[in-house]
Amino acid sequence: TEQNLCQKIGSCGDLSFLVHHGPWSCDDVPQALPLSDTETLAPGKFKPPQTRMAKKKPLGAASTAMATAEEELRGEKKKKIPKSGKSKRVPLGPNRPKTKKVKQKKVSEQKIEKEQKIEKEGKSTDEKPHNLALSEHSSPADLRKFFLGQFESVNGIKLSSLELGSIKDMYFLKLSEGISQDAGNLGRHVKDTFGSSWKEVLFEDHLIEGKIDPGNPAVLVISASAIRSLELLRGLRTLAKKCQVVKLFSKHIKIDDQVALLKNRVNLASGTPSRIKKLCEMEALGLSRLEIIVVDMHTDVKGYSLLTLPQVRDEFWDLYKSYFHQRLVQGNLRICLYGPIPTTSALIMKNSGDQ
């Protein structure tokens, strides 16, 4: 028995008894560690081996097949078999694995989300212009309502009933619906506005004492930038064969050169609010002959126009209050809003949303 075997091993102190007695082979004998000089094996006790017993290797073809089957079985156990029809569960939070590629949303989708967020937070129009339904063919009444509404809201004032009554719908030009309101067609629209007198007013180049003074244009085009002013000037080429159009902006043009040009007859002028106001203050630019101001409503790539770009907008209304408003109230000036403007229904929805 196991107990008798342990007693016999303990009495002789080595494993020779097991080697020479009983049906044992050398492979089956546990290899015990040798005792040190100071260590003795107490009688009746068995020092357990610290190494695992060597497995007996099977021989023959059958044994080889069994070994191969065991290895395959172990390999199948190690393989993880995913559950059919269920995706792998991804942990949330900081332990979430980083993906190699992050799908980015389209720019248009990001803009829509940003605009929706701005509308919910109720941000002012100074940060982002409102996207409203636009129309090029508005009635004079709608043009008047839009323009005066912008004037009151931006400047924080309320026009009296007397002033509102004196500003007629007819002071706001309704352009031909058969011609698009782009930069190339501006000359055609201006020519149609003056009718049969266009050649006398816009085409001639000689001064008339007491009637046509130098530096007094009949049409003044106001836009948000110098680049846009140049685009509109190209549309006026057909009217500037005899009398050139004066550029009234600060980019690459000295103010002294502009003052020199304004000493001649001027029929058409195009520029930005800040430079126009400065030339008016210098009395180089006269307004006694001015009949029409063209307010460019073109929007840039960011959606801003002359009346929505904060700094330029303030400069325009400052110019308007100083030199144009009283002339409009007196009926000596007409305004042309050139380009698409927000429709009345869109303005009503905007105002109700702001409230």
Side-chain angles (χ1 to χ4, degrees):
T1 63
E2 185 178 354
Q3 185 176 2
N4 294 335
L5 180 63
C6 291
Q7 289 177 358
K8 288 180 181 181
I9 292 171
S11 62
C12 54
D14 57 21
L15 302 175
S16 60
F17 176 81
L18 293 174
V19 175
H20 298 289
H21 297 83
W24 311 101
S25 65
C26 293
D27 292 336
D28 295 329
V29 178
Q31 298 178 9
L33 296 174
L35 297 174
S36 61
D37 297 338
T38 58
E39 247 180 357
T40 55
L41 189 64
K45 291 187 177 180
F46 172 72
K47 186 174 179 65
Q50 294 184 7
T51 58
R52 298 178 67 180
M53 294 177 65
K55 289 185 178 180
K56 189 173 182 180
K57 296 181 181 179
L59 303 175
S63 302
T64 307
M66 288 175 61
T68 307
E70 288 179 359
E71 289 178 1
E72 290 177 356
L73 186 61
R74 276 194 221 98
E76 289 178 359
K77 287 181 179 180
K78 289 180 181 178
K79 288 180 182 178
K80 293 182 179 180
I81 303 172
K83 295 179 181 180
S84 59
K86 292 185 179 180
S87 59
K88 222 174 179 183
R89 189 171 181 181
V90 181
L92 301 175
N95 297 326
R96 185 183 181 90
K98 294 182 178 180
T99 56
K100 292 182 180 179
K101 292 183 179 180
V102 180
K103 293 183 179 179
Q104 295 182 351
K105 293 184 178 180
K106 293 181 180 179
V107 178
S108 58
E109 294 177 354
Q110 291 177 351
K111 284 183 179 179
I112 291 170
E113 290 181 0
K114 192 174 180 180
E115 289 168 3
Q116 290 175 350
K117 187 177 179 181
I118 289 172
E119 290 176 0
K120 287 181 181 179
E121 293 176 358
K123 292 186 177 180
S124 64
T125 54
D126 291 353
E127 298 180 6
K128 188 73 178 176
H130 288 272
N131 289 328
L132 302 175
L134 304 177
S135 174
E136 284 188 352
H137 309 298
S138 301
S139 64
D142 289 338
L143 295 172
R144 173 184 174 275
K145 185 176 181 180
F146 168 76
F147 186 80
L148 296 179
Q150 290 289 308
F151 175 66
E152 290 181 333
S153 63
V154 172
N155 295 281
I157 60 175
K158 188 72 174 176
L159 294 174
S160 64
S161 57
L162 184 63
E163 284 182 306
L164 289 172
S166 60
I167 300 174
K168 309 293 183 182
D169 294 345
M170 61 183 297
Y171 298 163
F172 293 86
L173 297 178
K174 180 174 175 58
L175 302 179
S176 175
E177 296 185 4
I179 306 172
S180 63
Q181 297 182 24
D182 54 19
N185 292 326
L186 179 59
R188 295 177 62 185
H189 285 292
V190 173
K191 183 179 175 181
D192 293 344
T193 301
F194 282 91
S196 59
S197 63
W198 73 270
K199 192 171 183 178
E200 180 185 349
V201 177
L202 304 173
F203 197 73
E204 299 298 333
D205 61 345
H206 57 276
L207 294 170
I208 301 174
E209 189 176 351
K211 186 177 180 181
I212 299 177
D213 296 326
N216 282 264
V219 178
L220 182 61
V221 182
I222 307 173
S223 54
S225 66
I227 296 173
R228 180 61 181 172
S229 293
L230 288 173
E231 292 176 0
L232 294 169
L233 282 171
R234 294 188 190 102
L236 297 171
R237 281 178 180 174
T238 56
L239 304 176
K241 291 182 179 180
K242 284 188 177 182
C243 185
Q244 69 177 31
V245 182
V246 180
K247 304 171 185 177
L248 303 180
F249 47 82
S250 58
K251 191 172 184 179
H252 306 307
I253 302 177
K254 294 180 180 179
I255 195 168
D256 295 335
D257 296 337
Q258 292 169 338
V259 171
L261 290 172
L262 290 171
K263 290 180 180 179
N264 302 313
R265 173 167 173 167
V266 178
N267 297 326
L268 302 163
S270 177
T272 54
S274 58
R275 179 53 62 92
I276 292 172
K277 186 173 184 292
K278 191 168 186 179
L279 289 167
C280 288
E281 291 171 348
M282 295 172 64
E283 297 183 355
L285 178 65
L287 303 176
S288 61
R289 186 173 165 242
L290 185 63
E291 294 187 33
I292 297 172
I293 59 170
V294 179
V295 180
D296 180 35
M297 298 299 296
H298 168 78
T299 56
D300 59 15
V301 292
K302 294 183 179 179
Y304 290 105
S305 69
L306 175 66
L307 300 184
T308 56
L309 189 61
Q311 182 179 353
V312 180
R313 175 197 63 192
D314 296 340
E315 292 171 352
F316 170 77
W317 288 118
D318 190 23
L319 172 65
Y320 172 80
K321 287 186 293 183
S322 302
Y323 296 98
F324 300 144
H325 182 66
Q326 286 303 318
R327 290 178 59 85
L328 182 68
V329 172
Q330 294 168 4
N332 298 325
L333 184 68
R334 290 183 292 172
I335 295 176
C336 171
L337 300 178
Y338 194 71
I341 67 164
T343 58
T344 306
S345 58
L347 287 172
I348 293 170
M349 290 175 64
K350 173 187 172 296
N351 294 331
S352 61
D354 293 343
Q355 292 174 359

